[in-house]
Amino acid sequence: MYSIDHLDIPPLCSAGGRVRLPGSKSISNRVLLLAALSTGHTDVLDLLDSDDTRVMLEALAQLGCRIEPLAHGGLRVHGLGGELPVSEAGLFLGNAGTAMRPLSASLALLAARHGGSFELKGVARMHERPIGDLVDALRQLGCPVQCLAREGYPPLRLGDGAKHRLNLDEPIRVRGDVSSQFLTALLLALPLVSQTDDIVIEVVGELISRPYIEITLNLLERFGVRVQRDGWQRFTIPAGSRYQSPGQIAVEADASSASYFIALGALAPATKDTDGITIEGVGLASIQGDIRFVEAARLMGADISGEANRLHIRRGAWPLKAIDLDCNHIPDAAMTLAVMALYAQGTTTLRNIASWRVKETDRIAAMANECHKLGATVEEGADYIRITPPSSPADWRTQPIHTYDDHRVAMCFSLAAFNPASLPIRIEDPKCVGKTFPDFFETLFDVCQARTRHIPVICVDGPSASGKGTLSAEVADRLGYHLLDSGVLYRLVGLAAASAGLSTSDDAIRNPDLARRLGELAAGLDVRFEHQRTLLDGEDVTDAVRSEGAGMAASRVSSVQAVRDALLGLQHGFRRLPGLVADGRDMGTVIFPDAPLKVFLTASAEQRAERRHKQLISKGIAANIDSLLADLRARDQRDASRLHAPLKPAEDALQLDNSGLDIEQSVQQVLTWWQGRTVFSGS
């Protein structure tokens, strides 16, 4: 997950490959609550690991539910059998509606029946999301429910510590036209108190988001409760209903998350040697209503086929076709249609989406604002949005996409990177996708391609011990870019040579046969940089490559042309989405001469020797500063005078003398220079 301020997505040109989606949020939190309320233990497989499921797990643990990891990666939930070991608790539920609403109903009923008091709160946005219709229904039942700040909104206090008789004789009335989660919450909670009589729920008004109720009914049956329904207005929980663990249950992949990759396959040309996008883990037999997004995507021209647990998507009609669609049946996935509309011929209208306004943010307003930023003409109403795309590539614009702490806004607008004007897209607060799909952007980049020239590279060159490695790693972390420490590549060749018994002395490397063998070693390196660690053949060699001996060997083997030729292709391969920070001695002059930003970092030899001395002493390594200074001067001389790619600034490099700067000041300077070179420099 990209835990950074913003993520710049370069212009994308094609897509192809396989995508494995995370578990459904809607199913995950329902399953966790049902497993906790049941008798017996339930092994939950393929559970979504996200912000929303974590707050549910933490809440259940606070309520006395024992949850333990399984060896194969699932979780075993030990059910409470409808009882609560604790009578008081304060629960923080973030912005998870799938935790706040169902827990509110279940805890209100249990607190009234057994005596208890529970306080539920969340983030500021959760306290703006209405829950009054559920509160009204719970009060009808005789549950003491207090809104602690504003009537009809969280935070809530459920129960007052005393037992209360529940009013179960009359039908419980709940509105269905604001959020289906209110009905879901009652359906999940009422079997806890249905021991002697049937319990009836009557829906007032039109029930929106019916597919989510179908998920709830399906899962209730898996846990032993078969609810009878009369259309979508009347639901009956039979007397004697009791939750019983199914033993094991697998969480289906998230159909809402599938919508982004269905759209991707529909709008992106297939990458060479691929057949478009294949989504695994959810298919045409899904129990989730959002699988009907497939129908909407087909209406817009997508070529989609599939099986029970798999979907295949290719671009069909192009441009996409504009549609006018009632989206009540796919309220979450319908947001993706708004971005697909940017690639359609004509005006697209999405109707019956009033529920968007009470989600993680006001999604109608959010989608209207951000589509307008990209050059679209947008009209919004109380329950609809109408989008006309930019009339030509020249009319497309790009501005930072504000995500409103809403995961779906962030994921939707990543698809705008396929715009015909080849403009990059900046996604603010990309970590908000952690709510449902923490690895969304990594998954997206795995199946998308960009033209090489569009993948940005920042080059940081400089002499040994100038601090370029630390600076580059920090800049890469702040931007979410890949890191190439080219000096480490040469150090790895030195390590590999020593392991193979090959000398890298100045005299030895002049031998043509040895130079050839060193080139072969370099060509076969299997190296990865992960979280400031260096992995060679899967083994962590971070400390070994930082030794003084490895550094000296690197300086010598870097002058061997066969090694340089072998590593050239390897270094070019690090230029991957979303971008690269490359540090070395010739990154800007030889390896990436087209890089939009080249920095030449330096400091005096005395300053560099002092830094290296402190670094070695801090690691408990004996060092002599005079010897270090002499070594650095010798290395500078060798690097600057070598025949191939001598150390020198690129003609268009910006020079940064960091003698008097700390690392944060150096990082901020480079980030400032980089921001000035992006199309977002005025933002």
Side-chain angles (χ1 to χ4, degrees):
M1 186 167 66
Y2 290 88
S3 298
I4 52 181
D5 291 335
H6 63 264
L7 175 64
D8 289 348
I9 304 177
L12 303 176
C13 63
S14 68
R18 294 180 178 272
V19 173
R20 181 76 188 184
L21 297 173
S24 161
K25 176 190 71 170
S26 297
I27 295 176
S28 289
N29 270 351
R30 284 169 171 83
V31 164
L32 286 175
L33 181 57
L34 288 167
L37 297 175
S38 296
T39 299
H41 70 256
T42 305
D43 291 346
V44 183
L45 310 180
D46 301 324
L47 184 75
L48 172 66
D49 179 14
S50 73
D51 294 344
D52 281 16
T53 53
R54 286 188 205 108
V55 296
M56 176 65 94
L57 286 166
E58 290 166 5
L60 295 177
Q62 284 183 257
L63 295 171
C65 181
R66 184 159 63 93
I67 302 169
E68 56 186 359
L70 297 172
H72 54 267
L75 290 178
R76 174 164 292 177
V77 180
H78 294 269
L80 300 172
E83 303 294 329
L84 280 179
V86 299
S87 59
E88 292 185 3
L91 307 179
F92 176 78
L93 300 174
N95 198 15
T98 56
M100 175 65 78
R101 277 72 177 266
L103 278 171
S104 293
S106 295
L107 290 176
L109 288 171
L110 291 172
R113 168 152 286 193
H114 301 293
S117 180
F118 303 93
E119 290 191 10
L120 276 59
K121 64 181 180 179
V123 299
R125 174 58 186 170
M126 176 58 79
H127 297 168
E128 297 171 351
R129 299 175 68 178
I131 199 170
D133 294 316
L134 178 59
V135 168
D136 290 344
L138 293 171
R139 287 172 176 166
Q140 287 177 51
L141 284 161
C143 299
V145 180
Q146 181 182 356
C147 298
L148 298 177
R150 182 163 56 127
E151 185 61 30
Y153 296 84
L156 305 177
R157 178 177 293 121
L158 310 168
D160 56 11
K163 295 181 181 181
H164 294 264
R165 180 184 177 280
L166 295 173
N167 304 318
L168 302 172
D169 299 333
E170 298 295 324
I172 300 126
R173 295 169 60 83
V174 63
R175 284 180 60 185
D177 57 353
V178 176
S179 173
S180 65
Q181 288 182 5
F182 301 151
L183 175 56
T184 278
L186 292 172
L187 288 169
L188 293 173
L190 285 168
L192 297 171
V193 293
S194 64
Q195 286 81 1
T196 58
D197 297 293
D198 290 354
I199 301 176
V200 176
I201 306 171
E202 290 184 350
V203 177
V204 179
E206 181 186 6
L207 177 61
I208 65 171
S209 307
R210 293 174 184 174
Y212 288 102
I213 300 303
E214 290 183 311
I215 293 175
T216 301
L217 297 176
N218 184 294
L219 292 174
L220 283 167
E221 189 165 346
R222 290 290 304 275
F223 282 85
V225 175
R226 183 186 291 270
V227 175
Q228 302 160 8
R229 72 175 178 90
D230 181 6
W232 294 102
Q233 302 304 123
R234 187 179 177 92
F235 298 81
T236 303
I237 293 105
S241 293
R242 185 168 175 267
Y243 286 132
Q244 182 65 45
S245 169
Q248 183 181 95
I249 187 168
V251 175
E252 191 175 270
D254 189 49
S256 301
S257 296
S259 71
Y260 313 115
F261 293 94
I262 293 171
L264 174 64
L267 63 88
T271 299
K272 184 179 179 181
D273 299 326
T274 74
D275 194 30
I277 296 293
T278 296
I279 298 171
E280 297 181 337
V282 67
L284 299 178
S286 172
I287 68 169
Q288 300 168 73
D290 273 345
I291 196 61
R292 293 185 63 189
F293 181 85
V294 167
E295 301 168 11
R298 283 172 172 161
L299 288 174
M300 297 191 78
D303 180 355
I304 304 173
S305 60
E307 301 93 45
N309 204 39
R310 186 178 292 114
L311 296 170
H312 309 279
I313 310 97
R314 287 179 56 90
R315 182 196 268 193
W318 191 256
L320 294 176
K321 302 172 185 177
I323 58 173
D324 188 322
L325 187 68
D326 183 326
C327 297
N328 181 53
H329 59 299
I330 51 170
D332 284 344
M335 292 177 67
T336 311
L337 297 174
V339 176
M340 291 178 70
L342 297 173
Y343 300 93
Q345 185 81 42
T347 299
T348 291
T349 303
L350 308 178
R351 303 182 186 277
N352 205 358
I353 53 173
S355 65
W356 283 20
R357 294 204 183 271
V358 293
K359 296 284 188 174
E360 281 80 347
T361 188
D362 180 340
R363 286 176 169 171
I364 294 180
M367 297 304 287
N369 290 340
E370 305 312 307
C371 285
H372 179 73
K373 285 181 181 179
L374 300 177
T377 301
V378 186
E379 177 188 341
E380 64 168 289
D383 66 346
Y384 73 88
I385 188 169
R386 185 170 289 125
I387 300 168
T388 306
S391 57
S392 71
D395 294 312
W396 275 79
R397 303 192 301 269
T398 189
Q399 296 180 49
I401 298 297
H402 184 57
T403 52
Y404 308 87
D405 195 26
D406 189 327
H407 53 131
R408 300 205 185 281
V409 174
M411 292 187 279
C412 282
F413 280 99
S414 66
L415 300 173
F418 283 93
N419 67 81
S422 295
L423 294 169
I425 297 295
R426 173 168 289 183
I427 303 293
E428 295 179 343
D429 188 28
K431 65 181 180 297
C432 68
V433 301
K435 184 176 178 67
T436 53
F437 199 159
D439 295 329
F440 170 77
F441 290 108
E442 291 88 342
T443 303
L444 180 72
F445 295 148
D446 280 345
V447 293
C448 288
Q449 298 292 321
R451 292 179 176 84
T452 299
R453 69 178 184 274
H454 286 153
I455 302 177
V457 178
I458 299 174
C459 295
V460 182
D461 289 314
S464 180
S466 59
K468 59 185 180 293
T470 303
L471 173 63
S472 298
E474 285 292 327
V475 171
D477 280 348
R478 306 285 178 94
L479 296 174
Y481 286 1
H482 297 286
L483 174 66
L484 167 58
D485 185 339
S486 67
V488 165
L489 296 182
Y490 289 102
R491 288 168 179 258
L492 289 171
V493 175
L495 282 179
S499 178
L502 303 178
S503 173
T504 58
S505 68
D506 287 330
D507 290 335
I509 59 176
R510 296 191 185 100
N511 183 305
D513 184 60
L514 178 63
R516 176 184 57 79
R517 293 180 66 187
L518 289 173
E520 292 171 352
L521 273 178
L525 289 179
D526 178 13
V527 59
R528 287 178 293 140
F529 299 105
E530 292 184 357
H531 308 296
Q532 301 191 23
R533 295 186 305 141
T534 302
L535 304 178
L536 178 62
D537 296 325
E539 180 183 350
D540 190 342
V541 295
T542 306
D543 292 334
V545 297
R546 294 299 177 188
S547 68
E548 282 299 295
M552 295 301 291
S555 181
R556 293 190 294 270
V557 300
S558 65
S559 65
V560 178
Q561 189 60 43
V563 172
R564 301 185 62 78
D565 291 343
L567 293 184
L568 181 62
L570 181 62
Q571 292 173 97
H572 284 162
F574 278 87
R575 191 173 190 171
R576 304 191 303 272
L577 291 168
L580 174 67
V581 179
D583 113 61
R585 291 179 173 81
D586 60 357
M587 295 295 98
T589 54
V590 175
I591 308 301
F592 300 108
D594 63 336
L597 177 61
K598 301 168 188 174
V599 177
F600 192 82
L601 186 66
T602 189
S604 67
E606 291 78 10
Q607 180 68 40
R608 289 184 283 131
E610 183 178 337
R611 291 175 182 169
R612 179 59 57 83
H613 184 261
K614 288 180 179 178
Q615 182 185 53
L616 294 173
I617 294 299
S618 69
K619 294 181 178 180
I621 301 173
N624 180 281
I625 194 167
D626 292 332
S627 297
L628 290 173
L629 179 58
D631 286 342
L632 284 173
R633 284 173 170 164
R635 191 178 302 185
D636 288 351
Q637 177 62 30
R638 182 167 55 249
D639 290 342
S641 60
R642 65 191 180 198
L643 180 62
H644 301 288
L647 174 64
K648 63 178 182 179
E651 289 184 3
D652 54 347
L654 298 177
Q655 299 207 33
L656 177 59
D657 186 336
N658 67 356
S659 298
L661 304 177
D662 61 27
I663 182 62
E664 183 59 27
Q665 290 171 318
S666 298
V667 169
Q668 288 303 321
Q669 179 60 75
V670 173
L671 291 176
T672 298
W673 284 337
W674 178 242
Q675 173 68 10
R677 278 165 166 69
T678 71
V679 297
F680 307 104
S681 58
S683 302

